[in-house]
Every structure is written in C-alpha cells, then in structure tokens.
Amino acid sequence: MTTTGILFFLLLGGLVFFAFGRIISFTKSRKSEMRFLVLLYLSIFLIGFGLAWCYTSFLENEPRAAYMGLIVFCGLGLVLGFVGLWNMMDSETAAVDQVPDELSRAISWKKAVAAVLLALFAITLPATWLFKSATGIVSDREQVSSYLGEKILSDKALPGVIKKGLEYEAWLTRIEEPLMSRIVKSAISGIEPESMLELFGYIAPEKERLAMLNDATTALYDWIEGENTYPSLTLQTGVYLNNIESNAENLVLWMFKNFPIPGCGSVQIGELEQGVYGNDLKKLISCIPPESLQKKIAPIAAALLNAQLAENSPPQVVDVGAKMKETAPVKKITTAKLHLNRVLFAGSAIWLIPVALLLIGLGLVVRSGKELAVWLAWPFFITGLLGLFIGSRLPGLSFLHSVPHEAEVPGAVVGIGRKIGIDLAVMLESAMFTPFLILAVAGGVMLVITRREKIMSMAVRMRLSLGLVFGKQAV
Amino acid sequence: MDNSSDKNEQEGKYKPSRRELIKLVSAAGAGALVGGASNSAMAASNGGVSSQTFSLFEKKYETIDDMYDISKDIRRFDQKYTALMRGMWDEEVRPSTISYGAKKSGMVPFAQEGTPGYSMVDWALHWAAMAGTNTCAPLANLGVRGAGNYNDWSRHANPTFKRQTFEDKAEISKKVKRAARFLGASLAGIAPYDERWTYRKWFDIDPSMMDVKSMEIQHDKMRETEGVFPFKPKSVIALAFEMDYNALQAPGFISGAAPALAYSDMPEVAFKVAEFLNLLGYKSIPTGNDTGMSVPIAVQAGLGELSRMGLLITKKYGPRVRLAKVYTDLELEYDKPTGFGVWEFCKRCKKCAEICPSGAINIDRDPTVKSSTGSKSNNPGVKKWFQRQERCMLQFDRNGGTGCSYCITACPYNKLDTWIHDTAKLLTGMPVGRDIARQLDDAFGYGKKTAEAAEAFWNKED
Ligand code: SF4
Ligand code: SF4
C-alpha cells in the first residue's frame, strides 16, 4: 500500500463519516420519512464505494472496471441522493400545499401514445441513421474507389494490409493444416514491408493496381445501378504476366534475398558450382545459394519460370461477367442484384420512419410553440446522446478486442475484412457526430428552457438542503 | 454414484456462522469506506481476507468420490495421450507442436512479430522466465519426469538421513504445508495417495528430440515405462503457484511469461519440499506435469475445485495457478476436498468456452461421464466437461508460439484477491446471483487481453 493509497482511503473514510454525521444531524430536527433517509445513506455509501472501487481498480490495472465502477456506483449514488433530497424537500412543502388536482395528473391516451412514439423515435433514429450513413458510403463509387486506392492498394498502405491478412491467416490456422503450409506462411510473414513493395513493383506496380481498381469499381457500380444482368468487367491479367516474364530474373534474386529459406548444403553448392542446375525450378530455389552463385542461377531459374508460365499459358484477360454467367444463372443474379438495390434503397430511406413517428407523436399533442419545445426536448436529447454513443468507437472497442474464431473464409479475408470494417466505423463516427451532437445540444437547451422554473426551484431547494447537510458556509 | 452437482445444490446450503458473517462484513462492506479498508484493498500480493468470502458457502467433503461422480471402473490414463505428449508422436497434433516450437524459439518468423506483446524484449522476458526449468528440469513443463538436477528421482527416493517419527500427525502436516509455502509455493495442501491419478504408463522422451528442425517422428527417442513408484507413497503434497495477473492480461510473450515463470518455480520448490522430507528421513518424488494428474490431487488436497475448462479453480487465485506435487511415504493428515460453488457457476458461465479461439472447451451446459469430443486426450470415468485439449496446441501455434491462456484470463474467478470482488464472490454462491455476476463481469470489462495491457505491464511500479 503506497502512501497515496493510505491517504486516499483515510480521506475517503473521513469524508464518508462526515457526510453520515451531517445527515444524522440534518434529519434529527425534521420528521422526514424513513425511506428518504435510507436513500440518502445509501447514496453516500454508494458514492464512497464507487470512488474506492475506482481507485482500487486502477491499482489492479483494470481501467474499464474503474470507469464502470465510477459510472455505476457513483452514478446510482448521485441519483439516489438526488431523489432522496428532492422527495424530502417535496414532502415537506407538500404538507403545506394543497392536495394536487387528480385530474391534472391524469395522462390522456393521446399523451401516452405520443410518449411511446417519441420514445420509439429516440431509440430508432440513431440505428437507422447509422444504416443510412453506411449504405451512403458503400453506394458512393467515388468514395469507395478512393478509399480502396488510398487505404488498401497504395504503396503506402499495401504492406500493412498484407501484414494484417497474414496475421489473421496465422490466427486462423486449422488443426488439419500440414506443417509445410504453416512454415511457408510463417516465412512469408517474415518479409519486410519494403521488400513486399519491391515484389509488387516487379509484378503489379502501384499505377497498374490503381488502374485495375478503377476499371473494376466503374464496371461494378455501372452494373449495380444499370439494367445489365451481368457486369461487363474484363481484367487485363496479361499486363501482370508480362511483368513477371520481363522481371523473372529480379524475382528470383528477390526471393533469394527475402524469403527466409535455409541456405544450401555443401552437396547442393558443389553441384551448382559445377553448373549442374537441373530442370526443376522448385528444387533450384528450395535453398539459398551463396551470393557469388546467385547471379549465375537467376537467369537459369528465370528461364525455367518463364517456360512454366508458357506451358501453363494462364489467361491474358479474365472476363468476370462471362465467368459469372457460367457459374450463376440469370435468376439468381437478378435476385441478388434486386436485394442489393433494395438494401441500398432501404438504407437511404429507412431513417424517415422514426421521423414520421416523431411527426405523428407531435401532431397528437402539440398545439403551441411552447408545447412543441416541451415535447421535443427529451426525445432530441436522448436520441442525440444515443447517436453519439453508437457512432463513437466505444461499442467497436469490444469488437476490436474480441478474439477471432475460426471462420469458413480464409483467415486473410477475415483480417482484411476486419480492417475495412474498422475504417468504415471511423468514417461512420464522423458521419454520426455532427447531426447527433446538434440534436443533443438542441434537446438539452430546450430541456433547460422549458423546465426553467422547475430547475430554479429545485436549485433553491438543493442549495437549502445542501446547506443544511453540509453547513451553510459550505454552499 | 450420486451426481455431485446435485449434491452441491442440496447440501451446499451452508449456513454461515456469526463469526464468518462478521468477517465478511468487515471485508466486503462498510469497512471498505473507512481507512481500515485500505489494508485489504491491496492485499493482492500478501494475502488478504478476500478469498475467505467463499468460506461463507463452502462445503467440505470426506473424499473426492463424495464430491464428484467417479465411475468405479475408471482406468488409469496413459501419459502418452496427454495433448503435450501427443505433439511428439501423433500426426494430428505434431504440425501444431513443431510449428509452435519453431516460432517460440525464433527459428521461423511469425505474423504478430513487433506487435504489443511480441517484441524482442517480450520474447526475452518469456525465455528468462522459463530459464529455471530449462536449466534445472528440462522439459518438465511438457511432463517429462526425472530430468535435470531438480527432478532426480534416485536422489529423493533414497534419503540418507535418519527417519524421524512424529506422534502428532496434524502438527507435522501443518509444518509440512508451512514449509512448502515458505519454500515458495503459493498454496499447499495434502492429499492421500490415490493410484487412480497416477499415469498407468509414463511417457519418457529424450530431450534431444525437441530439436524442432527434425520433421520426422523419432520413435527411438520415446519410451513408455510402467507407472510404478520406487516406493509406496502414502501422501501427496499438492502445490499451487500463482501466475502474474497483469502479465496474463497482456498478449503474446508477456502473457506466456506468466506460466513460464511458474514452470520455473515448480521444479525448484518441489525439489526443495522433497529435500525437506528427505532430511526428515522420508522418501519423496518431486513432480510437475509428469507422473500423475495434478488437478484431482489438488482437489483432494482441498486446494480448489475442478472447472469447466478442466483446470483447478482456487479460492484465492481462481484458475491463475500451475500445479506441482510431491509424493512421499510420510503419512500425514489429509486435507478435505472443498467445494465453493464453482461447478454450479460453470454451468451458467461458459465464458472460457466462448472466448476459447480454438473451440477446445466444451460449451454444453452439463458435464457428462462419457466424452463425446472424440479427443484421444480424454479420460472418461469422471463426470466433468471433456475438452479437445489438442486444439490448445493449435492455438499456441496461432499465437506465434507464445502459448494462449485466454481461458484463464477470461474466467470470472481470475481476480486479484482484493475486497472489491467480494460482492461478486458472494453472488457466485447464490442461484440468481450467478447470472448477474457473469453479466457484470463482462460489463466491467474483466478478462480481456489487450494491447494496452502490454504497455501497462512494463510500466507497472511496485
Ligand atoms: S489455452 Fe487457449 S486454446 Fe487452450 S483452452 Fe484455453 S483459451 Fe482455449
Ligand atoms: S470461465 Fe466460467 S465456465 Fe469457464 S471455468 Fe471459469 S467460471 Fe467456469
């Protein structure tokens, strides 16, 4: 226990005892109901407990538990204290006031329905707005294209994306996976980002990657928005094959430099020194020869690589539309397209439902400007706060910290998908922030204005009661 | 045999004594708000009163058979089938084990390199923590028996000192446990020797086969020996070793360093306890993961309860312990198996099973006598939750060779022994409270491994 800890707990203990003592002397002189007294004691206990919890949790290195303790225990304590004090003061004034008019307390059915509708508005608006913003981002071809270009495929971003993919590939290895494949994945993950870029420079330089991305997004969005059943998308793979062919020698040298495979044994080195290279590319590059031999082996291995490419003759162009035609029947593809368009449309329009609920609710009860402010205040305030919370990174934190579980898709897809998901969440945060901040502030201001008198009288009573509890000079 | 969980339910309605209630109140409640609570607030390292909260509803049993449903025909298990040993010979587990070993030893790179918990400094910490066992009891962590200076069976089974006699069994038992704790164990208890928990065959491997470069199964370096002690043990001293709470919150090698350190302590302390018994003239065998199953012995020694994830849950540290044991022919007074509601809590909690990234932990609500997991590493005959232990090896590999322990970290019983957890501990003893305790544990964010915890671990000051 540090000196700070001892001081903290002594101080806290002292304050709690002091507060208890003041409550006792405050309530002695008045005939307050027992339940309100209990609330006050409980309040002080909870606030003290919350502070002690928070401090100890920080010492345990559990920051979230510390904040939660503060919110839950101290928050509850404050609410209970407030309710206790309020009611105590209220019951005292009620004794001298007239019995309230029963009729004026009655809530008409219209008010009840309006309250339900406004509550629904407050709860559903943030979710629907989030959905609207998400579909808005996804359906904006410019935004998607520039995001993928900048954050995924650019030279700056690509090594990080590959690393993420590999990380998840490793995370989601399956028990059946053979040792060799595990070792190869491990080896790839050891390649430095600059070396990755060098490799991409040989096969698909940034300019060519971005051009292909541009073609792909244009074709896909034309297809989604247009009438065609299949997209007219043709990928020019020949460019990359030509790159491999012309850079084959560099690729072999790159592999010797960057791929963490074992060095060649003395027998292999002897054979290579005598110029016995063989025709097996895999065997030739299965170990790293001494640097003096690498330059000699590179053209041989490059020739073997090109010969293999020529033998397998991979396609120079890939017609994605034609491929889809082969695998997916018209009906399936039109239904999928229809669903996609419906989701996008729903996304753009669904937020109108809570707005309609709001208008109906207001229509039922609002007859004047003042009433409008009264009825709008709390739904705006609540929906604003809720929207700010949903849009913040807080809910996403659990997702970020969650442990990935085995999925049907390859690990790399999960990793890159997760990265895109997190980027999307950040974009959504900014889309949600401004409108919901405005709503929260507007709601808050209206709350203060419409309940001004009540708040004032409450403040006076509070002051009075705090003065009685803690001594007049304290207030 | 009765279903032990039902028994817990019926007989577990334990009425706390007045003294215990007073103890609880002073630990959990009002005392916390005054200066006096400050001492218990940071009792984590030197033992506070907090873990005694469980005493309010604990139940002591005469034998382990009264506590759990154990079949009369239970067979002794062959060590060869433990997940760690299967990594040596079983093609289902070998790829994970070799790849895990290669990553851990730095022979091949892995994807997480450089991320929090996976730096060179973290790696060095892990290996430094492991150095004790690597040097003095090689491969004891895998379950290799009798290797290294600390595990010399011939020395401890043949003491040269004159045999002392003790009139008062209770007195010498108390002293043996005190000595064990003084010599470095976090918890110590005494169980009767029960042959059922000794491996039917011990699986001995030559340490040289751990050279991960070898891709072939080296049959000539593995040997099975009948599980027969060189003397007839009468008592087993069960030892538990606490693992660092904050290290386990971090990912990667920092997290792995926590069990690694315990693995280093285990053979050293077991060796010292064996030496203590030798000096009194009694034969002893110090063991760690080898020779016999540690969990049932620890349960018999009253150290804790069996949990869903198959690990021992202790009152003070939850599952955050490693176990060792010392067999001896000194007859001692045995501790009683003690339940404090873990079994019932596990039925509802399932947090370890939900978080386990490899799906190794059984998620069914109720335990069973027979295994339906298909894992060779299961030993049927005891009503419990059966696991797929080999999948842990897969996870060790996925984690860049750093081990895993997500389940231990996540378990709601894994808390520091401080007063703030007393309320939750009380809740675990009440039927309705269990669900609340489980939900609150999540809401308060306990049990997660986070990148920030890696930094916090290194920044921690005493
Ligand atoms: S150590 Fe990891 S893989 Fe094994 S049971 Fe625990 S969480 Fe699952
Ligand atoms: S996490 Fe929950 S279910 Fe698993 S062992 Fe701990 S208490 Fe039992």
Side-chain angles (χ1 to χ4, degrees), chain A residues 1-14 51-52 55-56 59, chain B residues 32-42 419 462:
Chain A
M1 193 77 188
T2 58
T3 320
T4 333
I6 294 168
L7 281 177
F8 173 82
F9 279 102
L10 279 176
L11 195 68
L12 186 64
L51 291 173
Y55 181 80
T56 314
L59 292 187
Chain B
L33 295 176
V34 293
S38 58
N39 295 327
S40 61
M42 276 327 288
W419 64 271
D462 292 328

Side-chain angles (χ1 to χ4, degrees), chain A residues 154-156 158-159 192-202 209 254:
Chain A
S154 68
D155 273 357
K156 208 169 135 207
L158 195 58
E192 297 295 327
E194 305 80 48
S195 307
M196 283 275 177
L197 280 184
E198 193 188 332
L199 177 70
F200 277 96
Y202 293 138
R209 292 197 301 270
W254 178 90

Side-chain angles (χ1 to χ4, degrees), chain A residues 2-113:
Chain A
T2 58
T3 320
T4 333
I6 294 168
L7 281 177
F8 173 82
F9 279 102
L10 279 176
L11 195 68
L12 186 64
L15 276 176
V16 169
F17 268 127
F18 175 71
F20 275 135
R22 293 306 304 193
I23 291 176
I24 291 167
S25 63
F26 164 61
T27 49
K28 234 183 203 166
S29 55
R30 39 192 70 222
K31 292 189 181 62
S32 308
E33 278 184 56
M34 193 57 197
R35 56 196 169 123
F36 302 137
L37 276 181
V38 171
L39 282 182
L40 283 186
Y41 288 131
L42 208 57
S43 156
I44 298 294
F45 175 80
L46 282 170
I47 291 171
F49 185 80
L51 291 173
W53 176 289
C54 179
Y55 181 80
T56 314
S57 292
F58 270 119
L59 292 187
E60 284 188 356
N61 187 32
E62 292 285 4
R64 181 164 159 182
Y67 292 127
M68 282 297 288
L70 208 58
I71 294 168
V72 173
F73 299 121
C74 294
L76 195 63
L78 285 175
V79 171
L80 292 185
F82 179 75
V83 172
L85 271 179
W86 179 272
N87 282 296
M88 201 180 271
M89 307 309 292
D90 235 20
S91 60
E92 278 162 18
T93 33
V96 284
D97 284 353
Q98 281 195 337
V99 179
D101 182 359
E102 286 298 318
L103 276 179
S104 68
R105 281 188 174 186
I107 301 171
S108 74
W109 70 267
K110 277 189 184 176
K111 281 185 180 170
V113 174

Side-chain angles (χ1 to χ4, degrees), chain B residues 352 355-358 360-361 391-392 395-396 404-408:
Chain B
C352 52
I355 207 153
C356 172
S358 72
I361 300 178
R391 297 186 73 88
C392 290
Q395 195 55 34
F396 295 178
C404 174
S405 64
Y406 273 84
C407 47
I408 298 177

Side-chain angles (χ1 to χ4, degrees), chain A residues 13 60 62 163 171 182 406, chain B residues 33 111 245 391 397-398 418:
Chain A
E60 284 188 356
E62 292 285 4
K163 182 141 176 69
W171 257 110
R182 293 174 195 236
E406 279 177 19
Chain B
L33 295 176
Y245 179 81
R391 297 186 73 88
D397 178 27
R398 287 168 167 178
T418 56

